[in-house]
Amino acid sequence: MGDRGRSNHSAVIDFILVGFRVRPELHILLFLLFLLVYAMILLGNVGMMTIIMTDPRLNTPMYFFLGNLSFIDLFYSSVIAPKAMINFWSESKSISFAGCLIQFFLFALFIVTEGFLLAAMSYDHFIAICNPLLYSVQMSTRLCIQLVDGCPQF
């Protein structure tokens, strides 16, 4: 039957990223498009967090949750976009197994965290609609922080 102790094993070291199948001349256009979208995402999220933190009129639970959602979205988009833009310029369009694993883990973590944060925001809106007179008592700063802390964190 053969020697069972010896067998042919292979290990995955890199994954080849196929990407967009377009002419190489369009890679510059796609890179600039991705860069523009990524810059707008960064500018919008940082701008929203800055406005929420600096304006005292926005110290309400809704804006607290929106600021945290912008923070999560900032990292969420930063997991995938830079590697995608790098692949437009690099000759070897590959990612290491460890890099792929880390990228997938962070991507999944931020998706789950965003879902929990949206659930906390829906609870905030539920309290605001069902008990508008008791809203400021029920949705205290302490409860808002506890709801955000209940989200999966990295």
Side-chain angles (χ1 to χ4, degrees), residues 23-66:
R23 294 180 299 193
E25 301 86 38
L26 293 177
H27 282 219
I28 296 171
L29 179 64
L30 285 172
F31 173 79
L32 292 175
L33 181 66
F34 271 60
L35 184 64
L36 177 70
V37 170
Y38 184 60
M40 295 303 286
I41 289 170
L42 292 180
L43 184 67
N45 286 321
V46 170
M48 185 175 293
M49 288 186 300
T50 304
I51 290 170
I52 289 171
M53 288 189 310
T54 57
D55 193 351
R57 293 175 294 173
L58 301 180
N59 288 334
T60 62
M62 180 180 70
Y63 289 106
F64 176 75
F65 290 126
L66 281 175

Side-chain angles (χ1 to χ4, degrees), residues 79-80 99-109:
V79 169
I80 302 293
C100 182
L101 195 64
I102 291 169
Q103 189 176 22
F104 178 74
F105 173 75
L106 290 174
F107 186 72
L109 178 72

Side-chain angles (χ1 to χ4, degrees), residues 131-144:
N131 297 322
L133 297 176
L134 295 174
Y135 176 73
S136 60
V137 174
Q138 288 179 336
M139 287 303 292
S140 64
T141 305
R142 183 174 169 255
L143 179 62
C144 290

Side-chain angles (χ1 to χ4, degrees), residues 62 64-70 72-73 76 110-126 147-148 150-152:
M62 180 180 70
F64 176 75
F65 290 126
L66 281 175
N68 282 293
L69 192 63
S70 291
I72 293 296
D73 190 44
Y76 182 81
F110 289 129
I111 287 174
V112 170
T113 304
E114 187 171 355
F116 274 88
L117 194 55
L118 289 172
M121 290 175 75
S122 67
Y123 178 73
D124 172 57
H125 290 308
F126 171 76
L147 285 172
V148 170
C151 297

